[in-house]
C-alpha cells in the first residue's frame, strides 16, 4: 500500500461558514485522481464535517468503486459513548453512512485525557476486538493526542491492538505540549505500526514564511512546502501511512506526484527540515491545527480555530485590513467575538494541542476588536 492517505476532514466546502456543506462534485474529482494514481487509503470519522465526511465518502468512493479498490479507516466517537451499548449504535450508524460492510482500519478516536479511562470503563477495547473477530474491521487501533507517558501506558495495557495513529510533524517534533518525537519513540519501542495525522499541521506547513521557503527552495525549487512536511513524516521508522487532509484538486495532484514513488529523506533533507522548524517555531504564536474539536460545546459559538489562524497570520505578516474584514465577517455571521468568551473552558478539555483557549482569546480581542 502506498504511504499517502486521504484525510476526509478538510474537504472543499460550498460555504466557508458551514462545515457540513461539502462540495461533492469537487470531492469526487479529488478522489478519482487519487485512486487513478494508485492510492487507496481514505480516513474519516463520525464527527468530521458534522457527519457528512462519512456520507460523502460513500457517494464519492464506496458507491463508485469496487470494494477492493479502496481502504477505509473510520473512528468511534468515544466521547459520545455513555454506556457500553452505545458502541454498537454508533458503529452500525457508521456502516450505513459509509456504505461498507467492513472497515479496513477501525479506531477509538482520540484516547487522550480522561478518554482512555472512560473507554476502559465502557468496554471500548472489548468492543473493537469483537468487531475484528466478527470480520467487521480488519485492523483495530486508536488515535491519540496526549503525552508519551500515557501512550506508553495504553500500549503496555492494550498490546493486542494492530496500530496507533499519532500527530507527528516537524514543527511539533520537540514541542513539549504535543510530544511528537517522544510519542513516536514510544510506539517504536512497542513495535507498533504508525499512521501519522496532521503532518502538515492543519495546512499551516503548506504555506511557510518566505525565509523558511528559501531554505527549501535552495535545495529543490520544484518541491512544495507540503511535500517536505509529508515526506518528513513518511520517512520515520514504523510509519506506514501519512494522512493529508486535502481540500483542493491541486493539493491532491501535488501530493500524489511526490508520493507515487516515495523516496525517504536523506540526511541533508532532514537537516534542512530541522533548520526550518527552528525558524518557524520562533514565530508561531498559537499552535492550533484547526481540528475544530473545541467548537462543538462552546456556548458562545466562538470561531476559535479561525480566530487563532487570523492571529497567527497577523503575527507572521503584520495586521492587514483583510484579516480584520475576515474577523468581522465571522462575528457578523453568527459567531461570538473573541471578547464574548465566558471562560467556561469547555473548549480546552477537547483541545489536543492543550491550548489555553480562553486566555489566548483575550489577546485576539485586543488585536481585532480595537475600535
Ligand atoms: S472558554 Fe470561551 S471559547 Fe471556550 S467554550 Fe467557553 S466560551 Fe467558548
Ligand atoms: S484550539 Fe485546539 S481544539 Fe480548537 S481547533 Fe485549535 S487545536 Fe483544535
Amino acid at each position: 500500500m502506498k504511504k499517502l492517505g486521504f484525510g476526509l476532514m478538510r474537504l472543499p466546502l460550498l460555504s466557508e461558514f458551514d462545515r457540513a456543506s461539502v462540495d461533492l462534485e469537487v470531492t469526487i474529482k479529488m478522489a478519482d485522481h487519487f485512486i487513478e494514481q494508485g492510492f487507496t487509503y481514505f480516513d474519516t470519522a463520525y464527527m468530521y464535517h458534522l457527519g457528512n465526511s462519512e456520507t460523502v465518502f460513500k457517494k464519492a468512493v464506496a458507491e463508485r468503486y469496487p470494494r477492493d479498490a479502496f481502504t477505509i479507516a473510520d473512528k468511534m466517537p468515544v466521547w459520545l459513548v455513555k454506556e457500553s451499548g452505545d458502541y454498537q449504535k454508533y458503529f452500525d450508524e457508521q456502516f450505513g453512512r459509509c456504505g461498507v460492510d467492513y472497515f479496513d482500519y477501525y479506531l477509538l478516536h482520540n484516547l487522550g485525557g480522561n478518554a482512555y479511562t472512560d473507554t476502559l470503563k465502557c468496554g471500548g477495547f472489548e468492543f473493537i476486538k469483537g468487531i475484528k473477530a466478527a470480520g467487521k474491521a480488519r485492523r483495530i487501533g486508536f488515535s491519540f493526542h496526549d503525552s508519551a507517558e500515557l501512550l506508553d501506558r495504553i500500549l503496555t495495557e492494550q498490546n493486542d491492538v494492530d496500530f496507533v495513529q499519532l500527530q507527528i510533524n516537524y514543527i511539533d517534533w520537540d514541542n513539549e505540549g504535543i510530544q511528537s518525537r517522544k510519542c513516536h519513540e514510544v510506539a517504536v519501542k512497542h513495535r507498533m505500526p504508525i499512521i501519522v495525522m496532521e503532518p502538515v499541521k492543519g495546512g499551516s506547513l503548506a504555506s511557510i514564511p518566505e525565509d523558511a521557503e528559501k531554505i527549501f527552495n535552495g535545495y529543490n525549487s520544484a518541491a512544495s512546502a507540503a511535500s517536505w512536511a509529508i515526506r518528513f513524516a513518511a520517512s520515520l521508522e514504523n510509519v506506514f501511512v501519512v494522512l493529508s487532509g486535502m481540500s483542493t484538486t491541486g493539493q491532491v495532484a501535488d501530493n500524489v506526484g511526490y508520493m507515487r514513488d516515495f523516496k525517504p529523506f536523506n540526511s541533508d533533507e532532514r537537516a534542512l527540515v530541522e533548520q526550518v522548524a527552528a525558524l518557524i517555531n520562533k514565530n508561531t504564536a498559537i499552535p492550533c491545527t484547526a481540528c475544530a474539536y473545541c467548537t462543538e460545546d462552546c456556548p458562545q459559538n466562538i470561531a476559535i480555530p479561525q480566530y487563532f489562524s487570523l492571529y497567527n497570520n497577523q503575527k507572521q505578516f503584520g495586521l492587514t485590513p483583510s484579516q480584520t474584514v475576515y474577523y468581522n465577517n465571522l462575528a457578523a455571521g453568527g459567531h461570538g467575538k473573541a471578547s464574548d468568551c465566558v471562560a467556561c473552558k469547555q473548549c480546552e478539555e477537547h483541545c489536543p494541542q492543550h491550548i489555553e483557549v480562553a486566555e489566548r482569546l483575550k489577546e485576539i480581542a485586543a488585536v481585532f476588536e480595537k475600535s
Side-chain angles (χ1 to χ4, degrees):
M1 186 169 72
K2 293 201 186 308
K3 275 193 168 185
L4 176 69
F6 193 150
L8 301 172
M9 72 183 293
R10 292 191 176 87
L11 291 169
L13 299 176
L14 294 167
S15 160
E16 64 178 311
F17 300 115
D18 179 5
R19 291 176 55 74
S21 67
V22 177
D23 188 331
L24 178 62
E25 203 179 313
V26 178
T27 303
I28 285 175
K29 283 188 192 146
M30 294 162 70
D32 285 353
H33 187 58
F34 186 72
I35 290 175
E36 278 159 23
Q37 296 298 310
F39 295 82
T40 57
Y41 194 101
F42 291 86
D43 169 87
T44 186
Y46 186 82
M47 43 75 79
Y48 291 171
H49 289 291
L50 307 177
N52 273 354
S53 171
E54 291 175 327
T55 52
V56 163
F57 165 79
K58 177 180 177 178
K59 290 179 191 152
V61 181
E63 289 182 344
R64 299 177 58 250
Y65 286 93
R67 184 63 186 88
D68 60 1
F70 61 86
T71 302
I72 178 66
D74 205 346
K75 311 185 193 75
M76 171 64 65
V78 295
W79 60 92
L80 296 179
V81 171
K82 303 295 174 225
E83 56 187 26
S84 60
D86 289 344
Y87 289 117
Q88 192 66 53
K89 182 182 80 179
Y90 288 117
F91 188 77
D92 290 345
E93 195 181 346
Q94 290 178 301
F95 257 10
R97 282 182 179 184
C98 289
V100 293
D101 56 9
Y102 70 90
F103 290 115
D104 298 278
Y105 293 81
Y106 194 75
L107 300 85
L108 297 165
H109 196 171
N110 191 7
L111 288 194
N114 295 329
Y116 178 53
T117 42
D118 291 347
T119 298
L120 286 181
K121 276 185 216 145
C122 289
F125 283 92
E126 285 71 23
F127 176 78
I128 58 172
K129 282 179 217 167
I131 58 169
K132 183 180 175 185
K136 292 180 176 176
R138 296 275 162 92
R139 292 180 185 81
I140 53 171
F142 61 92
S143 64
F144 185 79
H145 296 276
D146 209 313
S147 68
E149 189 182 353
L150 179 58
L151 180 64
D152 197 22
R153 178 187 158 200
I154 299 177
L155 290 179
T156 302
E157 294 175 0
Q158 311 297 335
N159 58 11
D160 44 5
V161 295
D162 300 311
F163 65 94
V164 64
Q165 183 163 312
L166 301 175
Q167 174 171 323
I168 296 179
N169 57 64
Y170 67 76
I171 287 296
D172 295 330
W173 189 240
D174 282 313
N175 179 300
E176 262 314 296
I178 314 298
Q179 302 194 351
S180 278
R181 179 177 55 76
K182 289 180 181 171
C183 286
H184 177 259
E185 285 168 1
V186 165
V188 169
K189 181 183 87 174
H190 286 272
R191 300 199 174 131
M192 198 49 65
I194 300 167
I195 297 171
V196 171
M197 57 184 157
E198 301 288 6
V200 193
K201 198 167 171 63
S204 56
L205 298 181
S207 174
I208 56 177
E210 211 175 311
D211 43 0
E213 210 166 11
K214 267 189 193 153
I215 294 172
F216 284 154
N217 286 344
Y219 185 84
N220 179 359
S221 60
S224 64
S227 75
W228 285 87
I230 288 176
R231 286 184 56 237
F232 167 82
S235 301
L236 295 169
E237 192 177 357
N238 281 29
V239 169
F240 71 101
V241 173
V242 177
L243 301 173
S244 174
M246 294 179 267
S247 308
T248 65
T249 50
Q251 287 169 0
V252 178
D254 180 42
N255 284 345
V256 301
Y258 59 82
M259 289 302 284
R260 203 168 27 225
D261 298 306
F262 168 67
K263 290 190 182 49
F265 266 4
N266 60 35
S267 55
D268 289 345
E269 289 172 314
R270 176 72 193 221
L272 287 177
V273 158
E274 282 170 18
Q275 201 182 329
V276 165
L279 196 66
I280 296 175
N281 272 330
K282 257 193 347 206
N283 297 322
T284 299
I286 305 178
C288 172
T289 64
C291 66
Y293 293 172
C294 55
T295 55
E296 281 191 22
D297 295 330
C298 176
Q300 303 295 84
N301 194 25
I302 293 173
I304 300 166
Q306 290 95 329
Y307 292 167
F308 284 177
S309 161
L310 286 172
Y311 184 74
N312 282 340
N313 197 265
Q314 68 84 29
K315 279 280 183 192
Q316 294 268 10
F317 306 108
L319 184 62
T320 65
S322 74
Q323 291 160 357
T324 308
V325 167
Y326 195 79
Y327 181 88
N328 289 337
N329 281 348
L330 280 165
H335 290 286
K337 299 195 295 287
S339 61
D340 292 328
C341 173
V342 294
C344 64
K345 304 200 176 179
Q346 292 192 65
C347 52
E348 295 180 15
E349 287 172 25
H350 296 296
C351 179
Q353 315 302 327
H354 312 290
I355 294 168
E356 292 179 335
V357 176
E359 276 306 306
R360 303 313 298 257
L361 286 173
K362 288 183 194 163
E363 296 170 38
I364 287 162
V367 171
F368 290 105
E369 295 179 32
K370 283 187 293 197
S371 55

